[in-house]
Every structure is written in C-alpha cells, then in structure tokens.
Amino acid sequence: MQTMYYIGLDVHKRTISYCVKDGSGAIHAEGTIPAARFDLDRWMKTLPQPWTAAMEATVFTGWIYDHLKPHAAAVKVAHPLMLRAIAAAKKKNDRIDASKICDCLRCDFLPECYMASTEIRERRRTLRYRNLLVRQMVQMKNKIGMLLMEAGVSYNKQRLHKAGYFRELLATNPDIDEGLVSLLRLCRETVVRLQRTESALVRSLESDSLLIDRVERLMTIPAVGPITALTWALEVGDAKRFSSIKKAISYCGLCGAEKSSANTVQRTPLSKQRNKHLQTTLIEAAKMAPRNSPELAMLYDKEKQKGNANRATLAVARRLVAYLMAVDRGQRDFQVVETNCIAA
C-alpha cells in the first residue's frame, strides 16, 4: 500500500508557502515557491506520489485549485473563519500556517468548504462583474442629480434618466451653463454605456447552454426573474449540497446567529457569515414578490400584522428560498399545491 503524502499550502498573491508531511507527521519538505503556473508545474515534479493538498479559501485559490487538481489524489479548500479558530496560535507566519493546514488535512480536521465547478465559477465571475456595473450605473445617476442640485436646477426626479426628458432639460433650462452641460452629458454617456454592457452580459448568461434549462425552471416561480434565477444558480452551484432548507436559508444570510448557554437562548440580528450576493438579490426579490404572488402576499400581510415590515420581507425571502430549493432539487417547474381551507 502506497503512503499518502499531505501538503499544506499558504497561498498569497506572489508566493505560496508549502509543507509536505507523511501520515505520521514527519516533514518531508517545506519552503516557498512563486505563485505562477510554471513554478507550480516544476514544483509538482519534485513531489512524492501520491499526494493530496489543502489550502485556505482566498481570492487566489480558484486558479491554483484548478491547476493542481488533475495531478493530485485530492485537493481541498478550507473555510477561512473556521480554520482560523482551529489553528489559532500566538506565533504566526507563512511556514507555520502551511504546517498547520497540513496537520488539519492529515488528521481529517480540515473544515472543508464547497468548491463549485470551474464552469460555474467562470460564469459567476461574469455575473458579479455585472453587479459592479449596476453599482457604477447607480453612482453615475446619483451624480447627475447631485450636479443639478448644486446648480439649483429643478427637475422631475422620476423622468430625469429618460433620454427625451434629459435632452429637453439641457436644451431649455437657462440655469444650466456650458460647463455643467458637458459634465451632465459625460455622465449620461457613461450610464448608457454601462446599461448596454450590463444587458449584453445578462443576455449571454441567459442563453448559456449550461444555465438555460435551469434558469427557465427557476423563473416559473412567482417573483423570480432572470437576475434572481441566475444569482441562485451561480452562487449556490449544486443545490443538493444543502441537506435542509434551513441550511440554505442560513447560507443566504436570512437568519441570525444563535447564542445559547444553559437555559438562556439569544438570537442575534442577521449574521455577517453569508453569501452577500444572494442575500441582497433575495431581499430585493422579496420586496416585489407580494405584487406577483397571492400566497406570498398573504404571508407578507400576516407577518406585517406583528408590527415589523422588515421581518415580513425576511419571511417572504425565506419562502422564496424554499421554492427555489424545491424546484432546483426536483428538476421540475414550480407548481402551486391547492389546499381546501375550512373556515372555523
């Protein structure tokens, strides 16, 4: 039987610290290599076979994970927060971090996190870039309003970003001088360019062969549009990795943390340990959902009667997660189950 070798990697922007150990914990090699594909290939030729590697999840982890996976028996990625709690120490440096990751892997203590497939992560990158464009678009629209307010120009807020009204405002308002006109036109051109780019990115994702069937099924749910469906599909990856709806709700950041000791149970506000992209999208979808679904409207009204509109929105968002999980895991279109309600 071949001896398995375990490798801990402490990944940084320019360098990767590594530590190679066998099953007994004896160190076979350790050091630092440049974070480049050529250097990784040369380093892998020196490794004893077979080997398995682990690293902490960072912004640089994706490409290293994809590059090592074909050559390793297994490559695992650790949850940063949980790994920090396990491997906390007074003395900390890259060599020690790599050794501790290696020990966690060797002793099966590694808090492994989910890694989506390369195809999903590439498309997720596109969707998150689209989110950046939307934020920049909003900033430029706000800047147009701010420039007009600084000059004391009155305008219709609802119509300001309509092309016809904007041209008429610049042509007919005497309070807008030439310098302000050039700035306003520059802002408007930036908004139009961002809108076109954002629309092109969404169309490319909607027509992608990997996503088209899944997105169409998810959009059969009331109040779920293309952005919500794409965000769910790309941020969640495989919905079957959640063993329950409660775990999916927790991942989406729609519940608070629980702190209990003896007979005392304390619920905190919404946890910061969440997928922020999913949380934002689901909250926005939940605000519009009561307009498109009688069932979600009833749920919203029922929760709002308790006195808090935000909690009602959260309740609708949690119900949307349940719908999304059911459609995604069942691989079928959304259907409303009719029940006979008997009035007391």
Side-chain angles (χ1 to χ4, degrees):
M1 183 177 178
Q2 288 183 312
T3 301
M4 178 63 72
Y5 292 89
Y6 301 90
I7 304 176
L9 301 173
D10 188 42
V11 177
H12 294 278
K13 180 179 180 180
R14 293 185 174 87
T15 61
I16 301 173
S17 297
Y18 67 90
C19 180
V20 184
K21 296 184 180 182
D22 59 18
S24 64
I27 298 178
H28 281 252
E30 58 182 352
T32 303
I33 57 174
R37 288 179 171 84
F38 174 77
D39 296 283
L40 278 175
D41 289 334
R42 187 171 57 180
W43 168 72
M44 282 190 288
K45 293 178 181 178
T46 67
L47 296 176
Q49 298 293 334
W51 55 273
T52 179
M55 68 193 86
E56 186 178 4
T58 67
V59 69
F60 320 110
T61 298
W63 75 265
I64 299 174
Y65 175 88
D66 293 335
H67 198 73
L68 296 180
K69 192 174 180 181
H71 306 280
V75 179
K76 299 182 178 181
V77 179
H79 192 292
L81 189 62
M82 296 181 182
L83 185 65
R84 194 178 302 120
I86 293 173
K90 189 174 183 180
K91 186 177 181 181
K92 184 182 183 302
N93 56 48
D94 294 347
R95 181 180 60 83
I96 292 175
D97 288 348
S99 178
K100 288 188 175 182
I101 293 173
C102 185
D103 286 333
C104 289
L105 176 64
R106 181 175 59 87
C107 300
D108 199 22
F109 287 156
L110 190 78
E112 189 176 356
C113 65
Y114 172 75
M115 281 294 289
S117 65
T118 305
E119 295 79 10
I120 290 293
R121 282 187 279 118
E122 288 174 352
R123 289 156 178 80
R124 182 192 295 169
R125 187 186 307 126
T126 302
L127 182 64
R128 291 183 179 181
Y129 185 75
R130 177 259 170 196
N131 296 340
L132 171 65
L133 295 181
V134 172
R135 289 196 298 271
Q136 292 178 341
M137 195 189 312
V138 172
Q139 289 176 353
M140 295 308 298
K141 287 182 177 181
N142 291 339
K143 186 61 179 177
I144 291 174
M146 183 61 67
L147 289 172
L148 292 173
M149 285 189 288
E150 287 178 357
V153 178
S154 300
Y155 61 90
N156 188 322
K157 184 177 180 181
Q158 284 71 31
R159 299 177 58 198
L160 176 61
H161 304 296
K162 304 293 183 181
Y165 177 80
F166 187 80
R167 287 195 301 267
E168 181 184 351
L169 182 67
L170 297 187
T172 59
N173 197 302
D175 298 327
I176 303 178
D177 56 30
E178 293 182 1
L180 183 58
V181 167
S182 61
L183 288 177
L184 291 172
R185 285 177 176 168
L186 180 61
C187 291
R188 177 64 189 174
E189 290 172 1
T190 304
V191 170
V192 172
R193 184 171 63 253
L194 290 172
Q195 285 176 336
R196 291 174 179 173
T197 307
E198 184 264 343
S199 299
L201 291 178
V202 173
R203 285 196 301 270
S204 67
L205 289 173
E206 285 183 303
S207 59
D208 194 293
S209 58
L210 183 66
L211 301 172
I212 185 169
D213 293 336
R214 188 177 180 186
V215 169
E216 286 179 355
R217 281 195 302 270
L218 293 173
M219 286 177 62
T220 60
I221 302 172
V224 173
I227 301 303
T228 305
L230 285 169
T231 304
W232 174 267
L234 294 176
E235 295 295 340
V236 168
D238 184 8
K240 295 181 180 178
R241 66 191 179 99
F242 298 115
S243 59
S244 66
I245 294 175
K246 287 184 178 180
K247 290 186 177 180
I249 290 173
S250 176
Y251 178 77
C252 297
L254 301 176
C255 64
E258 179 180 335
K259 296 181 180 179
S260 60
S261 178
N263 296 326
T264 303
V265 179
Q266 181 182 1
R267 300 292 298 192
T268 66
L270 292 183
S271 175
K272 296 296 183 182
Q273 298 182 41
R274 86 288 191 206
N275 185 310
K276 63 180 181 180
H277 303 283
L278 260 178
Q279 184 190 54
T280 302
T281 303
L282 288 170
I283 291 295
E284 292 300 320
K287 291 179 180 179
M288 302 295 294
R291 305 180 187 181
N292 302 301
S293 170
E295 291 79 12
L296 295 177
M298 289 176 61
L299 175 63
Y300 180 84
D301 292 337
K302 178 182 176 182
E303 294 295 328
K304 191 176 180 181
Q305 287 176 2
K306 298 178 182 179
N308 194 315
N310 290 335
R311 289 185 180 180
T313 301
L314 278 176
V316 174
R318 295 188 190 107
R319 183 64 60 85
L320 281 177
V321 172
Y323 289 168
L324 290 163
M325 283 284 289
V327 170
D328 221 4
R329 297 178 71 173
Q331 300 291 307
R332 59 180 183 271
D333 293 348
F334 178 79
Q335 293 180 350
V336 178
V337 178
E338 295 182 2
T339 57
N340 294 325
C341 299
I342 302 176

